[in-house]
Amino acid sequence: VFKSTGIRLKRDLSSVLSVTSRLSWDERVSQLANQADTTRFYVSVDRELGPKTKLGIAYSFSDRDSEISSDNYKENRVSVSLTIDF
């Protein structure tokens, strides 16, 4: 069984700069009836470099709470992306 809910917001700060944020919650129940809840937060800033090129930097945080203690974790992640549309 899998349940998920979330919200996403995107705002243009200027003609070339935008910010996106997401908050989500997932619940999973395995075939062995073990439950795990995961909360995720994500924020990114994207800058348009040209008509088909975009540079982005993002931060995400995940917090997983499971009935199996070895399956619990907290994760921080930073990523940089370069997108080119052909």
Side-chain angles (χ1 to χ4, degrees):
V1 176
F2 179 74
K3 297 177 190 172
S4 180
T5 188
I7 187 168
R8 178 182 179 268
L9 302 170
K10 182 176 181 181
R11 175 152 177 109
D12 291 332
L13 302 176
S14 71
S15 61
V16 296
L17 198 63
S18 66
V19 64
T20 302
S21 63
R22 290 192 306 255
L23 181 63
S24 66
W25 174 81
D26 300 330
E27 176 186 74
R28 292 180 187 236
V29 178
S30 72
Q31 293 176 353
L32 301 174
N34 296 321
Q35 182 174 334
D37 298 329
T38 306
T39 304
R40 291 185 180 90
F41 170 73
Y42 170 90
V43 64
S44 70
V45 177
D46 295 303
R47 186 178 196 298
E48 197 173 302
L49 300 176
K52 295 185 176 187
T53 308
K54 183 169 60 171
L55 179 65
I57 185 165
Y59 166 77
S60 66
F61 173 76
S62 299
D63 183 5
R64 183 179 176 110
D65 183 23
S66 175
E67 291 179 346
I68 302 171
S69 62
S70 63
D71 201 24
N72 293 335
Y73 68 85
K74 291 182 184 340
E75 177 185 72
N76 290 285
R77 185 179 293 188
V78 175
S79 61
V80 177
S81 64
L82 176 63
T83 304
I84 302 170
D85 294 329
F86 293 100

